[in-house]
Amino acid sequence: MFDYDGEMRFLQGRFRAACGVRAGDRVLDVGCGGGQTTREAAADAGRGRVVGVDVSERMLEDARRRTAEAHVSYLLADAATYDFGAAAFDVCISRFGVMFFDDPVGAFANLRRALRPGGRLVAMVWQARAENEWAQVIPATIGGDAEVRDESPFSLGDPDVVRGILGSAGFGDVTFAAVRERLYYGPDVETAYENVLQLREPLALLAELAPADAERARADLRAMLAAHDSGDGVLFDSAAWIVTAE
Ligand SMILES: C[S@@+](CC[C@H](N)C(=O)[O-])C[C@H]1O[C@@H](n2cnc3c(N)ncnc32)[C@H](O)[C@@H]1O
C-alpha cells in the first residue's frame, strides 16, 4: 500500500498544529484513509470522541489495524451525504480528503450540519497542479494522454473557488495558509518507484501507452526519481493550502 504517512512527513506537523484539537473536542476526520490524522486528533482530544470516515473499506481496514484508542471509531460512508447527526462534532478535519466531491457545495453543507454552531473546519488541500512539482514532473516524465490526467486532487486549489463553495455551504471566516513543503516518496529510488506505481494517475497514464513506450516511461521514471534523490530521501516540492472555516 502507498506510504501516504511517509509522503506527508514534512506536512503533517503543520496540519496537526492548524487542527488545534483540544481536550474534549469531538472530531470528524473526513477521508481519513489509514487514520494517522485520526489517531493524532484522538491523542489531542483526550477522551473526546473521534470518528474517521472514508469510502474505502481497504483504507479503513488499515486504519483499524493501526488504532488502539477506544474513543476512535471508523465509519465506511460517503461524507458528502452521510447523516452524521446535527451538531455532532466540534471540529471537522481532513488531510487531502475533501477534493473529490461531485457536489462540493452539498457535501460541505452536509459537513457544516455535522458541526455545532461555532465549530471549525480545517482542511489541507493541494494548490493548483502548476504549483506542485510532483504533480507536474511525474506525469510529464511518463507522457501519454493528457486526457487521462486526474485533476480532482487540485479541485480546491483556487481560494476564490473555495471561498465560493464554503460560503454557499454556510461556512464563514474562511482563511488560507500556504504550506510549501517537501513531499517524501521514499528513502531510495527503488522504494520511490514502487510508491509512484501505486498512484492512480501514473498507473492510468502508463496503461494508455504501447508496451515499448511504457517500458521507456518506466526507465525515465527511475532516472527522474534518481535526480530527486537528495541522499536523505526522494523529494519533490509541493504546495498546499490549509483552509479553515467556521
Ligand atoms: C488522498 S487520500 C488521503 C487519506 C488521509 N486523509 C491521509 O491523509 O492519509 C483521500 C481519501 O479520501 C477518501 N474519500 C474520497 N472521497 C470521499 C468521500 N466522499 N467520503 C469519504 N471519504 C472519501 C478516499 O477514499 C481516500 O482514502
Side-chain angles (χ1 to χ4, degrees), residues 28-29 32 51-57 60 64 73-78 82-84 89:
L28 176 64
D29 186 359
C32 65
V51 177
V53 59
D54 205 288
V55 284
S56 163
E57 178 55 27
L60 290 179
R64 288 193 188 100
S73 59
Y74 291 103
L75 177 67
L76 178 66
D78 183 345
Y82 183 80
D83 181 0
F84 295 100
F89 296 98

PDB file of all heavy atoms in Angstrom, residues 28-29 32 51-57 60 64 73-78 82-84 89:
ATOM      1  N   LEU A  28     -14.393  14.939  13.675  1.00  0.00           N
ATOM      2  CA  LEU A  28     -14.693  14.127  12.494  1.00  0.00           C
ATOM      3  C   LEU A  28     -13.546  14.293  11.512  1.00  0.00           C
ATOM      4  O   LEU A  28     -13.193  15.421  11.146  1.00  0.00           O
ATOM      5  CB  LEU A  28     -16.001  14.605  11.851  1.00  0.00           C
ATOM      6  CG  LEU A  28     -16.401  13.920  10.536  1.00  0.00           C
ATOM      7  CD1 LEU A  28     -16.679  12.434  10.764  1.00  0.00           C
ATOM      8  CD2 LEU A  28     -17.623  14.603   9.922  1.00  0.00           C
ATOM      9  N   ASP A  29     -12.934  13.165  11.070  1.00  0.00           N
ATOM     10  CA  ASP A  29     -11.826  13.200  10.106  1.00  0.00           C
ATOM     11  C   ASP A  29     -12.352  12.668   8.769  1.00  0.00           C
ATOM     12  O   ASP A  29     -12.644  11.478   8.630  1.00  0.00           O
ATOM     13  CB  ASP A  29     -10.663  12.339  10.628  1.00  0.00           C
ATOM     14  CG  ASP A  29      -9.414  12.448   9.751  1.00  0.00           C
ATOM     15  OD1 ASP A  29      -9.458  13.170   8.731  1.00  0.00           O
ATOM     16  OD2 ASP A  29      -8.408  11.809  10.099  1.00  0.00           O
ATOM     17  N   CYS A  32     -10.424   9.790   5.960  1.00  0.00           N
ATOM     18  CA  CYS A  32      -9.353   9.573   6.956  1.00  0.00           C
ATOM     19  C   CYS A  32      -8.269   8.619   6.469  1.00  0.00           C
ATOM     20  O   CYS A  32      -7.187   8.568   7.046  1.00  0.00           O
ATOM     21  CB  CYS A  32      -9.953   9.054   8.256  1.00  0.00           C
ATOM     22  SG  CYS A  32     -10.713   7.415   8.085  1.00  0.00           S
ATOM     23  N   VAL A  51     -14.064  10.350  15.121  1.00  0.00           N
ATOM     24  CA  VAL A  51     -14.596   9.452  14.090  1.00  0.00           C
ATOM     25  C   VAL A  51     -13.842   9.713  12.790  1.00  0.00           C
ATOM     26  O   VAL A  51     -13.741  10.851  12.341  1.00  0.00           O
ATOM     27  CB  VAL A  51     -16.109   9.693  13.868  1.00  0.00           C
ATOM     28  CG1 VAL A  51     -16.637   8.808  12.739  1.00  0.00           C
ATOM     29  CG2 VAL A  51     -16.895   9.452  15.155  1.00  0.00           C
ATOM     30  N   GLY A  52     -13.342   8.652  12.195  1.00  0.00           N
ATOM     31  CA  GLY A  52     -12.743   8.736  10.865  1.00  0.00           C
ATOM     32  C   GLY A  52     -13.726   8.149   9.864  1.00  0.00           C
ATOM     33  O   GLY A  52     -14.232   7.048  10.073  1.00  0.00           O
ATOM     34  N   VAL A  53     -13.997   8.890   8.799  1.00  0.00           N
ATOM     35  CA  VAL A  53     -14.928   8.391   7.782  1.00  0.00           C
ATOM     36  C   VAL A  53     -14.196   8.281   6.453  1.00  0.00           C
ATOM     37  O   VAL A  53     -13.397   9.146   6.098  1.00  0.00           O
ATOM     38  CB  VAL A  53     -16.184   9.303   7.679  1.00  0.00           C
ATOM     39  CG1 VAL A  53     -15.817  10.729   7.318  1.00  0.00           C
ATOM     40  CG2 VAL A  53     -17.188   8.739   6.671  1.00  0.00           C
ATOM     41  N   ASP A  54     -14.465   7.203   5.732  1.00  0.00           N
ATOM     42  CA  ASP A  54     -13.841   7.027   4.420  1.00  0.00           C
ATOM     43  C   ASP A  54     -14.756   6.134   3.570  1.00  0.00           C
ATOM     44  O   ASP A  54     -15.500   5.311   4.102  1.00  0.00           O
ATOM     45  CB  ASP A  54     -12.451   6.386   4.542  1.00  0.00           C
ATOM     46  CG  ASP A  54     -11.545   6.733   3.360  1.00  0.00           C
ATOM     47  OD1 ASP A  54     -11.789   6.212   2.253  1.00  0.00           O
ATOM     48  OD2 ASP A  54     -10.609   7.547   3.550  1.00  0.00           O
ATOM     49  N   VAL A  55     -14.667   6.303   2.247  1.00  0.00           N
ATOM     50  CA  VAL A  55     -15.452   5.459   1.332  1.00  0.00           C
ATOM     51  C   VAL A  55     -14.718   4.162   1.007  1.00  0.00           C
ATOM     52  O   VAL A  55     -15.272   3.297   0.334  1.00  0.00           O
ATOM     53  CB  VAL A  55     -15.778   6.172   0.002  1.00  0.00           C
ATOM     54  CG1 VAL A  55     -16.881   7.187   0.189  1.00  0.00           C
ATOM     55  CG2 VAL A  55     -14.538   6.807  -0.602  1.00  0.00           C
ATOM     56  N   SER A  56     -13.475   4.050   1.448  1.00  0.00           N
ATOM     57  CA  SER A  56     -12.680   2.869   1.089  1.00  0.00           C
ATOM     58  C   SER A  56     -12.544   1.917   2.279  1.00  0.00           C
ATOM     59  O   SER A  56     -11.881   2.243   3.270  1.00  0.00           O
ATOM     60  CB  SER A  56     -11.291   3.315   0.610  1.00  0.00           C
ATOM     61  OG  SER A  56     -10.397   2.221   0.638  1.00  0.00           O
ATOM     62  N   GLU A  57     -13.142   0.744   2.147  1.00  0.00           N
ATOM     63  CA  GLU A  57     -13.040  -0.253   3.219  1.00  0.00           C
ATOM     64  C   GLU A  57     -11.587  -0.702   3.388  1.00  0.00           C
ATOM     65  O   GLU A  57     -11.128  -0.960   4.497  1.00  0.00           O
ATOM     66  CB  GLU A  57     -13.961  -1.446   2.910  1.00  0.00           C
ATOM     67  CG  GLU A  57     -13.925  -2.581   3.931  1.00  0.00           C
ATOM     68  CD  GLU A  57     -14.218  -2.161   5.383  1.00  0.00           C
ATOM     69  OE1 GLU A  57     -14.917  -1.165   5.593  1.00  0.00           O
ATOM     70  OE2 GLU A  57     -13.710  -2.838   6.298  1.00  0.00           O
ATOM     71  N   LEU A  60      -9.886   1.742   5.520  1.00  0.00           N
ATOM     72  CA  LEU A  60     -10.374   1.662   6.901  1.00  0.00           C
ATOM     73  C   LEU A  60      -9.832   0.424   7.613  1.00  0.00           C
ATOM     74  O   LEU A  60      -9.552   0.472   8.816  1.00  0.00           O
ATOM     75  CB  LEU A  60     -11.908   1.671   6.926  1.00  0.00           C
ATOM     76  CG  LEU A  60     -12.541   3.010   6.532  1.00  0.00           C
ATOM     77  CD1 LEU A  60     -14.062   2.903   6.561  1.00  0.00           C
ATOM     78  CD2 LEU A  60     -12.089   4.137   7.452  1.00  0.00           C
ATOM     79  N   ARG A  64      -8.028   0.690  11.093  1.00  0.00           N
ATOM     80  CA  ARG A  64      -8.452  -0.057  12.298  1.00  0.00           C
ATOM     81  C   ARG A  64      -7.296  -0.878  12.852  1.00  0.00           C
ATOM     82  O   ARG A  64      -7.088  -0.954  14.059  1.00  0.00           O
ATOM     83  CB  ARG A  64      -9.621  -0.993  11.957  1.00  0.00           C
ATOM     84  CG  ARG A  64     -10.910  -0.253  11.707  1.00  0.00           C
ATOM     85  CD  ARG A  64     -12.113  -1.193  11.693  1.00  0.00           C
ATOM     86  NE  ARG A  64     -13.293  -0.467  11.253  1.00  0.00           N
ATOM     87  CZ  ARG A  64     -13.789  -0.507  10.024  1.00  0.00           C
ATOM     88  NH1 ARG A  64     -13.215  -1.258   9.097  1.00  0.00           N
ATOM     89  NH2 ARG A  64     -14.854   0.198   9.720  1.00  0.00           N
ATOM     90  N   SER A  73     -13.439   5.725  16.374  1.00  0.00           N
ATOM     91  CA  SER A  73     -14.182   4.744  15.571  1.00  0.00           C
ATOM     92  C   SER A  73     -14.068   5.125  14.103  1.00  0.00           C
ATOM     93  O   SER A  73     -13.782   6.279  13.765  1.00  0.00           O
ATOM     94  CB  SER A  73     -15.641   4.671  16.019  1.00  0.00           C
ATOM     95  OG  SER A  73     -16.233   5.931  15.898  1.00  0.00           O
ATOM     96  N   TYR A  74     -14.270   4.126  13.266  1.00  0.00           N
ATOM     97  CA  TYR A  74     -14.179   4.346  11.826  1.00  0.00           C
ATOM     98  C   TYR A  74     -15.501   3.974  11.179  1.00  0.00           C
ATOM     99  O   TYR A  74     -16.169   3.020  11.589  1.00  0.00           O
ATOM    100  CB  TYR A  74     -13.028   3.521  11.236  1.00  0.00           C
ATOM    101  CG  TYR A  74     -11.678   4.027  11.683  1.00  0.00           C
ATOM    102  CD1 TYR A  74     -10.959   3.364  12.673  1.00  0.00           C
ATOM    103  CD2 TYR A  74     -11.136   5.189  11.145  1.00  0.00           C
ATOM    104  CE1 TYR A  74      -9.726   3.836  13.102  1.00  0.00           C
ATOM    105  CE2 TYR A  74      -9.907   5.667  11.580  1.00  0.00           C
ATOM    106  CZ  TYR A  74      -9.203   4.994  12.543  1.00  0.00           C
ATOM    107  OH  TYR A  74      -7.999   5.475  12.960  1.00  0.00           O
ATOM    108  N   LEU A  75     -15.834   4.731  10.162  1.00  0.00           N
ATOM    109  CA  LEU A  75     -17.133   4.618   9.525  1.00  0.00           C
ATOM    110  C   LEU A  75     -16.942   4.523   8.019  1.00  0.00           C
ATOM    111  O   LEU A  75     -16.278   5.389   7.432  1.00  0.00           O
ATOM    112  CB  LEU A  75     -17.921   5.888   9.893  1.00  0.00           C
ATOM    113  CG  LEU A  75     -19.292   6.127   9.327  1.00  0.00           C
ATOM    114  CD1 LEU A  75     -20.267   5.090   9.891  1.00  0.00           C
ATOM    115  CD2 LEU A  75     -19.739   7.545   9.717  1.00  0.00           C
ATOM    116  N   LEU A  76     -17.511   3.495   7.422  1.00  0.00           N
ATOM    117  CA  LEU A  76     -17.483   3.369   5.958  1.00  0.00           C
ATOM    118  C   LEU A  76     -18.702   4.111   5.414  1.00  0.00           C
ATOM    119  O   LEU A  76     -19.837   3.634   5.549  1.00  0.00           O
ATOM    120  CB  LEU A  76     -17.552   1.880   5.576  1.00  0.00           C
ATOM    121  CG  LEU A  76     -17.577   1.580   4.075  1.00  0.00           C
ATOM    122  CD1 LEU A  76     -16.264   1.976   3.413  1.00  0.00           C
ATOM    123  CD2 LEU A  76     -17.882   0.106   3.834  1.00  0.00           C
ATOM    124  N   ALA A  77     -18.482   5.302   4.865  1.00  0.00           N
ATOM    125  CA  ALA A  77     -19.603   6.105   4.381  1.00  0.00           C
ATOM    126  C   ALA A  77     -19.085   7.199   3.459  1.00  0.00           C
ATOM    127  O   ALA A  77     -17.897   7.555   3.500  1.00  0.00           O
ATOM    128  CB  ALA A  77     -20.345   6.743   5.561  1.00  0.00           C
ATOM    129  N   ASP A  78     -20.007   7.721   2.647  1.00  0.00           N
ATOM    130  CA  ASP A  78     -19.695   8.872   1.805  1.00  0.00           C
ATOM    131  C   ASP A  78     -19.956  10.131   2.639  1.00  0.00           C
ATOM    132  O   ASP A  78     -21.110  10.426   2.973  1.00  0.00           O
ATOM    133  CB  ASP A  78     -20.596   8.839   0.562  1.00  0.00           C
ATOM    134  CG  ASP A  78     -20.278   9.966  -0.399  1.00  0.00           C
ATOM    135  OD1 ASP A  78     -19.573  10.914   0.005  1.00  0.00           O
ATOM    136  OD2 ASP A  78     -20.731   9.896  -1.558  1.00  0.00           O
ATOM    137  N   TYR A  82     -23.654  11.350   4.030  1.00  0.00           N
ATOM    138  CA  TYR A  82     -23.987  10.589   5.239  1.00  0.00           C
ATOM    139  C   TYR A  82     -24.579  11.530   6.306  1.00  0.00           C
ATOM    140  O   TYR A  82     -24.090  12.648   6.492  1.00  0.00           O
ATOM    141  CB  TYR A  82     -22.726   9.919   5.780  1.00  0.00           C
ATOM    142  CG  TYR A  82     -22.988   9.043   6.989  1.00  0.00           C
ATOM    143  CD1 TYR A  82     -23.497   7.760   6.834  1.00  0.00           C
ATOM    144  CD2 TYR A  82     -22.746   9.522   8.273  1.00  0.00           C
ATOM    145  CE1 TYR A  82     -23.752   6.958   7.943  1.00  0.00           C
ATOM    146  CE2 TYR A  82     -22.987   8.728   9.381  1.00  0.00           C
ATOM    147  CZ  TYR A  82     -23.491   7.442   9.209  1.00  0.00           C
ATOM    148  OH  TYR A  82     -23.752   6.660  10.309  1.00  0.00           O
ATOM    149  N   ASP A  83     -25.596  11.064   7.004  1.00  0.00           N
ATOM    150  CA  ASP A  83     -26.196  11.873   8.072  1.00  0.00           C
ATOM    151  C   ASP A  83     -25.445  11.601   9.385  1.00  0.00           C
ATOM    152  O   ASP A  83     -25.677  10.602  10.046  1.00  0.00           O
ATOM    153  CB  ASP A  83     -27.687  11.521   8.215  1.00  0.00           C
ATOM    154  CG  ASP A  83     -28.346  12.368   9.296  1.00  0.00           C
ATOM    155  OD1 ASP A  83     -27.657  13.213   9.917  1.00  0.00           O
ATOM    156  OD2 ASP A  83     -29.559  12.181   9.519  1.00  0.00           O
ATOM    157  N   PHE A  84     -24.544  12.517   9.725  1.00  0.00           N
ATOM    158  CA  PHE A  84     -23.741  12.353  10.946  1.00  0.00           C
ATOM    159  C   PHE A  84     -24.528  12.769  12.195  1.00  0.00           C
ATOM    160  O   PHE A  84     -24.069  12.563  13.313  1.00  0.00           O
ATOM    161  CB  PHE A  84     -22.463  13.215  10.866  1.00  0.00           C
ATOM    162  CG  PHE A  84     -21.514  12.796   9.770  1.00  0.00           C
ATOM    163  CD1 PHE A  84     -21.480  13.476   8.559  1.00  0.00           C
ATOM    164  CD2 PHE A  84     -20.653  11.718   9.962  1.00  0.00           C
ATOM    165  CE1 PHE A  84     -20.598  13.092   7.550  1.00  0.00           C
ATOM    166  CE2 PHE A  84     -19.772  11.326   8.955  1.00  0.00           C
ATOM    167  CZ  PHE A  84     -19.750  12.018   7.751  1.00  0.00           C
ATOM    168  N   PHE A  89     -20.274  17.275  16.070  1.00  0.00           N
ATOM    169  CA  PHE A  89     -18.818  17.444  16.204  1.00  0.00           C
ATOM    170  C   PHE A  89     -18.451  18.906  16.469  1.00  0.00           C
ATOM    171  O   PHE A  89     -19.156  19.819  16.046  1.00  0.00           O
ATOM    172  CB  PHE A  89     -18.117  16.959  14.929  1.00  0.00           C
ATOM    173  CG  PHE A  89     -18.296  15.483  14.679  1.00  0.00           C
ATOM    174  CD1 PHE A  89     -19.279  15.030  13.795  1.00  0.00           C
ATOM    175  CD2 PHE A  89     -17.513  14.554  15.345  1.00  0.00           C
ATOM    176  CE1 PHE A  89     -19.462  13.671  13.587  1.00  0.00           C
ATOM    177  CE2 PHE A  89     -17.691  13.194  15.136  1.00  0.00           C
ATOM    178  CZ  PHE A  89     -18.668  12.752  14.254  1.00  0.00           C
TER     179      PHE A  89
END
